[in-house]
Every structure is written in structure tokens, then in C-alpha cells.
Amino acid sequence: MTNAETITKLNNALNTLIKAYEELQEDNTQLKNRINELEDEVLDLESAKEDLEGDINELNTNKEQDNTNITSMLGKIEGLLNKKVGESDEPVKEDEKVEEKKEENKPSNNNSNGFNNNNHNNNNNHQNNNNNHNNVKADDKKEDDNKIDLNRMASLLNGFNN
């Protein structure tokens, strides 16, 4: 091999190395660009994550406030209902007292005088009619009380919606 041939082969090898180096540089540049794009996407995703975490915190706060409001409303409604139930129990207790008095005043069946039993039965019938009339009035009053409760509850709920 002569010097000219050696120089030619070295020149070809150098050209091949230069082409390979240029291709590697181009690939390296493309990879660097892709890395930059991916880093930008990561930053965007981190920003979106922070925004979502903020939204989650806000939703949790709103949920806690809603739970507190609902608990408060339920407490007020229970208080109103308990108040009305307590008021409506009193007439029932009076009716129970009347029933107890009736049982105490019942004559024994051992009485030989039928006239007294008939008079007593007539008195009991008259008392039963009066009690039935009073019960109807009490039922009407309870219905009126229930209507008031429903209106009050509706106004309370409307107040919370504002």
C-alpha cells in the first residue's frame, strides 16, 4: 500500500466519522428539544395539579359548610317538631285522664237495680259523645298546627337557600 492509498482510506474513514458525528449531533439536538418539550409538559401538569388541589380544597370546605348548614337546619327542624309534639301531647294526656275517670266510675255488675245501671249507661253515652266532639276539635287543632309547622319549615328552608 502506498501513501496515496493510505491517505485515501484515512480520508474516507474521516468523512464517515464526520457524517456519523453530524448525525449524532442532529439526534442529540432532537433529543434535547424533546426533553425541553417534556419538561414544559411536566411544568404544565404540575400547574394543573396545583389548580386541581386548590379546587379540591375549596370543594372540601364547601362540603364542610354544607354539612354544618344541614346539621343546623335539621337541629332547628327537630327543635320545632319537638316543641309542637310536646304541645300536642298535652290534650292526649287529658283524654287519658278522662278514660281513667270513666273506668273508676264504672258500676259493678253485681248491682241488682237495673234502673241505676241504665242511668249510669246513659251518662256514659253522653260523656262519650262529648269526648268524641272534643277529640274532633283537638284533631282539627292538630291539623292547623301541622300546617303552621309546614309553612314555618318551608320559610326556614327558603331562608337557607338565600
Side-chain angles (χ1 to χ4, degrees):
M1 239 197 214
T2 65
N3 283 339
E5 289 176 345
T6 305
I7 291 175
T8 305
K9 285 184 179 182
L10 286 174
N11 195 15
N12 286 339
L14 185 60
N15 284 335
T16 305
L17 284 174
I18 290 174
K19 284 182 184 179
Y21 178 78
E22 288 175 351
E23 288 176 8
L24 286 175
Q25 283 292 59
E26 188 175 316
D27 288 344
N28 190 22
T29 303
Q30 289 175 350
L31 290 174
K32 284 182 180 178
N33 289 338
R34 180 67 181 146
I35 288 171
N36 288 335
E37 290 173 5
L38 291 174
E39 286 175 348
D40 290 343
E41 285 182 30
V42 167
L43 290 175
D44 290 343
L45 290 173
E46 286 175 352
S47 175
K49 178 185 171 189
E50 290 174 4
D51 291 343
L52 290 175
E53 287 173 347
D55 291 345
I56 288 172
N57 289 336
E58 184 178 342
L59 289 174
N60 286 337
T61 302
N62 290 341
K63 179 181 174 184
E64 290 173 5
Q65 288 175 347
D66 290 346
N67 286 340
T68 302
N69 288 341
I70 288 171
T71 303
S72 174
M73 285 189 286
L74 289 175
K76 288 179 182 180
I77 290 170
E78 286 176 356
L80 289 173
L81 292 176
N82 287 337
K83 181 179 177 183
K84 290 298 178 181
V85 167
E87 291 175 0
S88 66
D89 282 347
E90 291 176 11
V92 172
K93 289 179 183 175
E94 291 175 9
D95 290 342
E96 290 173 0
K97 290 178 185 176
V98 170
E99 292 295 324
E100 289 175 8
K101 287 181 184 177
K102 284 182 188 178
E103 290 177 11
E104 290 174 3
N105 291 331
K106 281 187 179 179
S108 65
N109 289 337
N110 294 335
N111 191 349
S112 63
N113 188 350
F115 181 73
N116 286 340
N117 284 338
N118 286 339
N119 282 343
H120 188 70
N121 287 340
N122 286 340
N123 285 339
N124 282 341
N125 288 340
H126 183 67
Q127 284 180 342
N128 286 341
N129 287 340
N130 284 340
N131 285 337
N132 287 339
H133 182 68
N134 289 338
N135 286 341
V136 169
K137 286 182 180 178
D139 288 341
D140 289 342
K141 185 177 179 182
K142 288 178 187 176
E143 287 177 14
D144 289 342
D145 288 344
N146 287 340
K147 288 179 186 174
I148 291 171
D149 283 346
L150 293 175
N151 290 336
R152 290 176 72 188
M153 283 191 285
S155 66
L156 280 172
L157 291 174
N158 286 334
F160 284 115
N161 287 335
N162 293 334

